[in-house]
């Protein structure tokens, strides 16, 4: 079973504390303890994937996601390339899905470029 990074509690409290909690989690995914990574880069990909998924399913507004991604990009240099990987995966997944999910994804891609 995959680890869930973006919980319903975080989404419900996004404006109060959820955004900062999720940003802190994403930042911790890149920190290292000596030579051993606390959490692998795959976990950051998972967190960004869940962010995209939340936007697609109307659990999070596009502008909230983009704002967070801009902030993360400024402090984590790996975010743009990791996000590109994630968007590629979501693109393949949504290519054959229902129109509303695909449209939400395309709106998110347009907003982050």
């Amino acid at each position: 079973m995959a680890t869930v990074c973006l919980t319903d509690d975080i989404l419900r409290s996004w404006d109060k504390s959820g955004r900062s909690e999720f940003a802190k989690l994403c930042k911790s995914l890149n920190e290292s303890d000596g030579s051993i990574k606390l959490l692998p880069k795959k976990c950051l990909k998972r967190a960004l994937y869940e962010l995209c998924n939340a936007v697609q399913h109307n659990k999070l507004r596009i502008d909230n996601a983009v704002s967070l991604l801009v902030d993360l990009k400024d402090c984590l240099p790996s975010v743009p390339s990791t996000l590109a990987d994630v968007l590629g995966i979501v693109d393949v997944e949504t290519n054959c899905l229902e129109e509303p999910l695909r449209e939400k994804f395309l709106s998110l891609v347009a907003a982050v470029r």
Side-chain angles (χ1 to χ4, degrees), residues 18-52:
R19 183 186 189 283
S20 60
E21 187 178 333
F22 186 70
K24 189 193 308 186
L25 172 69
C26 289
K27 291 173 188 175
S28 73
L29 297 175
N30 273 3
E31 293 176 3
S32 61
D33 181 23
S35 62
I36 301 171
K37 289 273 188 188
L38 292 175
L39 294 171
K41 188 175 180 182
K42 280 187 173 182
C43 289
L44 180 59
K45 285 183 181 179
R46 177 67 189 190
L48 295 179
Y49 176 84
E50 289 180 14
L51 186 74
C52 293

Side-chain angles (χ1 to χ4, degrees), residues 34-104:
S35 62
I36 301 171
K37 289 273 188 188
L38 292 175
L39 294 171
K41 188 175 180 182
K42 280 187 173 182
C43 289
L44 180 59
K45 285 183 181 179
R46 177 67 189 190
L48 295 179
Y49 176 84
E50 289 180 14
L51 186 74
C52 293
N53 197 12
V55 169
Q56 280 184 286
H57 291 93
N58 293 320
K59 295 180 180 180
L60 186 65
R61 293 191 335 247
I62 290 174
D63 58 329
N64 288 339
V66 170
S67 170
L68 174 71
L69 291 169
V70 168
D71 290 348
L72 288 176
K73 174 189 67 89
D74 292 340
C75 61
L76 299 174
S78 65
V79 166
S81 63
T82 304
L83 181 61
D85 292 345
V86 170
L87 291 176
I89 292 166
V90 177
D91 182 36
V92 171
E93 289 179 349
T94 61
N95 198 25
C96 297
L97 288 180
E98 301 169 12
E99 190 68 24
L101 291 175
R102 181 71 178 168
E103 288 301 317
K104 275 289 199 183

